[in-house]
Amino acid sequence: MTDTALAGASADQAASKRPARPSRPAAKPHGQWKVDGTTPLNANETWKQEDNGLNVRERIESVYSKNGFDSIDGTDLHGRFRWWGLYTQRKPGIDGGKTATLEPHELEDKYFMLRVRIDGGALTTEQLRVIGEISVDFARDSADLTDRQNVQLHWIRVEDVPEIWRRLEAVGLSTTEACGDVPRVILGSPVAGIAKDEIIDPTPLIHELSERFIGDPELANLPRKYKTAITGHPSQDVVHEINDFALVGVVHPELGAGYDLWVGGGLSTNPRLAERLGVFVSADVAAEVWLGVTSIFRDYGYRRMRTKARLKFLMNDWGPAKFREVLEDEYLGFKLPDGPAAPKPSTPGDHVGIHEQKDGKFFIGVTPTVGRVSGSILVKLADTLEAHGSRRLRTTPHQKLVVLDVEKDQVEPLVAELDTLGLSARPSLFRRGTIACTGIEFCKLAIVETKATAATAIAELETRLADLVESKQLPQALSLHINGCPNSCARIQTADIGLKGMMLPTPDGDPTPGFQVHLGGGLANNDRAEAGLGRTVRGLKVTAEDLPDYVERVVRKFVAVGAEGQTFAEWAHSADEGDLQ
């Protein structure tokens, strides 16, 4: 035996005497149905398989509404009720410091938030009046316009839910899958079918998706919530970059008008912008493409950990090329043509103001204060619109309303009457650009108050910064988004100034409501070609009380030192940290 062989033999003998190196544990399954099987890997997945969330309606109607709140099964209450737009709301008087320490049953009241689903934001005045009357009769006159084109009511008793459903469904509305691990409300362009510069009208597609798939048990158990946005307007007015599935109107040089497909967007605590698949989607296959992407999420989405269950996590691992391949080969059975990207928007996507429709009539975009209205206002609005010849309106993804079909001679009289209802067609820069989530007033997840904080900030800034507005030193768009917790329902990472609610320490040791500041975010709009997330600066936090002071200070700094033609967002990303304090 050679020396080399002897050395090798000695090494083998030595190795045989050493304990075997433990093998690496196999990677935990993600809970992907097509990969790991359908065995539930957590409690949520278990109860979703045991009884589809849609089935709880029968129990609400026949048992819970008759026997009251205390008769509700816990899993139904905290799980399946969401499939019908119902969440328990926060018990009054519990401060934000206790949000993370109390159990759900300790935080919740015996009343519900009810979300009315409005696909595409399309409403008739009859439907609007019914929502308003429900609010007056059953919801203590509460009503909020959300940035998902829904209307949210509060103080709902389970005893009243069947009658509320009866009234809504009598006029073609519902709460079906307004919440839950399901296809949520379909965002649609508020000017679909009426805008002079529209590329393609998404109304037929939104109707088809709603009628075919909403309430379908086969799509009612997704890994997490699933958000859709569709627009055919060049302003890209449905915040498509932060939705799971989005179609944006484009013109293909050879195939004509259709859509550009985006997949995998979402914010919350792990923000990620959607990505283009690079395909052109014609109107005749758009519904099948939606079904394909939704089915991929159902079959391949990560179900083991709910914090990693949104479609954005799958897209992050797969990338657009693989996602397109799976979509075409496994779900569609045909290839989609390559397609162009939509150009930068040339007009604002909130549609505020007075605009001529393609038929010669006018639409009017109006702004409440951070979406807060009331049932009484909604009823008066329906009456006012009908008195001026309009019977259609739209909610928007920016907590606003768009009134349709107004004759030219009725525009100014209607604008004046809308203003008396707190709905301004010519709002201040700050009122126009501010949105706020529900906040601690009703939400069990919230840490701070938002709606009143936002309203106070708007009023203060309108006075304090009036000189900059009058001298036209401020940009035409400045967004201020206020959120009561880290979950970003108010899209804090995509605002010029985004505020994430938190409790801040004070010199005397008692925590006070405040915010972490995000600066320079935004979605594609007439001021920026591409979406981008806001910048955070370590230690940059502001108390709720000092919020107007901070916004005034940072805006004045921008005006003083920003370069000519530079947007606030551009400046915020390039500024020295000291200028942002």
Side-chain angles (χ1 to χ4, degrees):
M1 184 177 290
T2 65
D3 292 343
T4 302
L6 286 169
S10 298
D12 289 342
Q13 291 167 358
S16 67
K17 296 177 182 178
R18 291 195 299 264
R21 180 178 298 173
S23 59
R24 292 182 179 179
K28 290 184 177 179
H30 288 301
Q32 297 169 282
W33 280 1
K34 270 206 170 184
V35 176
D36 306 310
T38 59
T39 300
L41 298 181
N42 60 50
N44 278 280
E45 289 300 310
T46 298
W47 65 251
K48 285 196 295 179
Q49 285 198 28
E50 288 175 347
D51 187 25
N52 192 293
L54 294 171
N55 295 337
V56 78
R57 173 163 179 159
E58 192 278 331
R59 292 191 289 278
I60 292 173
E61 292 178 320
S62 64
V63 180
Y64 303 142
S65 66
K66 298 182 187 302
N67 298 329
F69 184 91
D70 291 336
S71 70
I72 303 172
D73 171 79
T75 303
D76 283 350
L77 180 65
H78 299 120
R80 299 184 186 95
F81 267 48
R82 299 176 185 181
W83 271 241
W84 291 96
L86 290 158
Y87 282 97
T88 51
Q89 67 186 39
R90 188 187 190 94
K91 188 180 297 182
I94 301 176
D95 68 62
K98 297 179 180 177
T99 296
T101 62
L102 296 180
E103 294 297 322
H105 70 275
E106 296 176 294
L107 283 167
E108 69 191 5
D109 210 345
K110 294 185 178 183
Y111 296 93
F112 293 89
M113 177 275 288
L114 178 66
R115 187 174 292 159
V116 181
R117 183 185 184 112
I118 308 171
D119 288 310
L123 286 171
T124 65
T125 50
E126 179 188 24
Q127 291 172 325
L128 181 69
R129 184 178 291 106
V130 167
I131 296 173
E133 290 170 347
I134 289 171
S135 169
V136 171
D137 292 346
F138 303 113
R140 300 189 187 180
D141 206 26
S142 64
D144 285 332
L145 306 175
T146 77
D147 58 9
R148 295 291 305 172
Q149 293 183 285
N150 297 304
V151 176
Q152 287 184 179
L153 308 178
H154 296 279
W155 301 108
I156 299 296
R157 301 185 318 142
V158 71
E159 291 89 341
D160 298 323
V161 170
E163 174 61 15
I164 292 171
W165 282 338
R166 187 194 67 77
R167 293 192 193 185
L168 289 173
E169 291 166 4
V171 292
L173 294 172
S174 81
T175 68
T176 311
E177 296 184 336
C179 313
D181 297 350
V182 293
R184 300 283 185 93
V185 65
I186 301 167
L187 294 189
S189 170
V191 295
I194 64 159
K196 296 170 71 173
D197 53 349
E198 185 174 51
I199 298 166
I200 185 171
D201 182 2
T203 304
L205 173 59
I206 292 172
H207 285 168
E208 181 180 359
L209 296 180
S210 180
E211 291 169 7
R212 284 181 61 185
F213 302 121
I214 303 309
D216 180 355
E218 292 299 313
L219 299 175
N221 181 1
L222 302 179
R224 282 292 301 275
K225 57 188 172 184
Y226 181 73
K227 297 181 177 181
T228 299
I230 306 173
T231 183
H233 194 263
S235 66
Q236 300 175 24
D237 49 6
V238 292
V239 296
H240 63 279
E241 303 100 324
I242 56 172
N243 280 264
D244 298 282
F245 174 99
L247 295 174
V248 178
V250 293
V251 177
H252 191 285
E254 292 149 9
L255 302 174
Y259 298 101
D260 185 27
L261 173 60
W262 294 64
V263 175
L267 294 179
S268 192
T269 54
N270 290 285
R272 190 181 193 280
L273 297 173
E275 295 187 69
R276 297 181 59 240
L277 292 199
V279 299
F280 177 78
V281 179
S282 59
D284 61 328
V285 301
E288 299 311 313
V289 171
W290 181 91
L291 178 60
V293 173
T294 310
S295 300
I296 288 175
F297 182 42
R298 178 194 62 200
D299 298 341
Y300 285 104
Y302 301 153
R303 293 175 181 263
R304 182 172 66 87
M305 297 175 59
R306 286 184 67 77
T307 54
K308 301 289 185 181
R310 289 291 299 276
L311 183 58
K312 62 186 176 182
F313 295 101
L314 181 66
M315 172 59 86
N316 187 67
D317 290 347
W318 278 11
K322 179 176 178 179
F323 200 103
R324 177 178 178 176
E325 179 184 6
V326 173
L327 173 64
E328 292 174 333
D329 293 350
E330 292 188 33
Y331 289 86
L332 296 179
F334 57 86
K335 298 293 185 182
L336 293 166
D338 293 341
K344 173 187 170 183
S346 58
T347 58
D350 63 4
H351 303 299
V352 169
I354 301 162
H355 310 270
E356 188 174 5
Q357 299 178 179
K358 64 183 181 183
D359 62 1
K361 296 181 181 180
F362 289 80
F363 66 88
I364 305 171
V366 295
T367 305
T369 300
V370 292
R372 176 55 55 87
V373 285
S374 69
S376 299
I377 287 174
L378 297 182
V379 172
K380 290 176 183 177
L381 176 59
D383 294 341
T384 300
L385 297 186
E386 291 176 357
H388 289 273
S390 170
R391 293 185 176 274
R392 292 196 299 164
L393 69 157
R394 307 269 170 82
T395 55
T396 84
H398 304 282
Q399 296 183 336
K400 296 171 175 59
L401 290 168
V402 177
V403 176
L404 312 186
D405 308 329
V406 182
E407 297 286 355
K408 185 175 182 180
D409 64 351
Q410 294 294 313
V411 169
E412 288 303 330
L414 179 54
V415 165
E417 288 202 40
L418 292 173
D419 205 46
T420 67
L421 297 177
L423 303 170
S424 177
R426 300 182 177 100
S428 71
L429 181 70
F430 309 103
R431 180 166 165 181
R432 179 173 182 170
T434 302
I435 68 173
C437 73
T438 301
I440 201 170
E441 182 180 8
F442 296 117
C443 179
K444 300 193 300 292
L445 301 178
I447 301 167
V448 302
E449 202 285 325
T450 54
K451 294 289 190 183
T453 299
T456 298
I458 291 168
E460 287 283 329
L461 295 170
E462 286 174 341
T463 300
R464 296 184 186 199
L465 297 175
D467 59 315
L468 299 184
V469 175
E470 290 169 5
S471 61
K472 301 188 184 302
Q473 295 181 75
L474 276 184
Q476 290 304 302
L478 185 68
S479 53
L480 176 66
H481 293 190
I482 302 178
N483 212 79
C485 77
N487 288 323
S488 201
C489 295
R491 309 197 294 258
I492 53 175
Q493 300 98 331
T494 59
D496 287 310
I497 303 174
L499 300 161
K500 180 176 73 176
M502 61 193 313
M503 299 301 289
L504 299 178
T506 61
D508 62 9
D510 292 327
T512 188
F515 303 93
Q516 181 185 54
V517 181
H518 298 248
L519 294 167
L523 303 177
N525 57 50
N526 53 307
D527 285 329
R528 63 188 298 160
E530 295 182 352
L533 301 176
R535 171 187 181 184
T536 57
V537 176
R538 183 180 296 274
L540 181 50
K541 299 177 175 66
V542 59
T543 66
E545 183 180 6
D546 292 338
L547 177 57
D549 290 341
Y550 173 74
V551 175
E552 179 186 9
R553 186 166 65 248
V554 75
V555 169
R556 288 193 180 278
K557 176 63 73 171
F558 160 63
V559 170
V561 305
E564 184 176 354
Q566 191 176 38
T567 67
F568 180 89
E570 290 168 340
W571 172 76
H573 276 284
S574 61
D576 292 337
E577 290 188 4
D579 288 342
L580 303 177
Q581 299 295 328

